[in-house]
Amino acid sequence: PGDCKVEISFDDNDVVSVVLTDSGMPFDPLAKVDPDIHASAEERGIGGLGIYMVKEYMDECKYERIDNKNIFTMRKAIK
């Protein structure tokens, strides 16, 4: 239950922004410690690899909690 929204936009500098907004429980994915990518899958355990890949690929990632909403913004230059 709760609202979820995805907004995608491009600016004049050829930067794409993706903003994910939800009204769920507070959750900052950037606060999670990066997994040891050199460890085997069994040693690494479950979770964390997806957000690690997003952080590595994107030019900017930002989390905010505003008005009881999680707002996760990702930006990437496409040129």
Side-chain angles (χ1 to χ4, degrees), residues 3-60:
D3 297 332
C4 183
K5 181 169 64 170
V6 178
E7 296 175 83
I8 301 171
S9 61
F10 296 88
D11 68 16
D12 293 336
N13 296 318
D14 293 323
V15 174
V16 63
S17 296
V18 178
V19 181
L20 308 172
T21 304
D22 70 63
S23 58
M25 293 178 15
F27 175 68
D28 179 358
L30 301 176
K32 186 165 177 60
V33 175
D34 290 341
D36 179 359
I37 60 169
H38 302 290
S40 69
E42 294 80 19
E43 294 172 325
R44 199 171 42 239
I46 296 173
L49 195 54
I51 191 60
Y52 171 79
M53 292 189 307
V54 167
K55 289 176 1 183
E56 288 294 306
Y57 181 73
M58 293 293 165
D59 295 327
E60 178 187 355

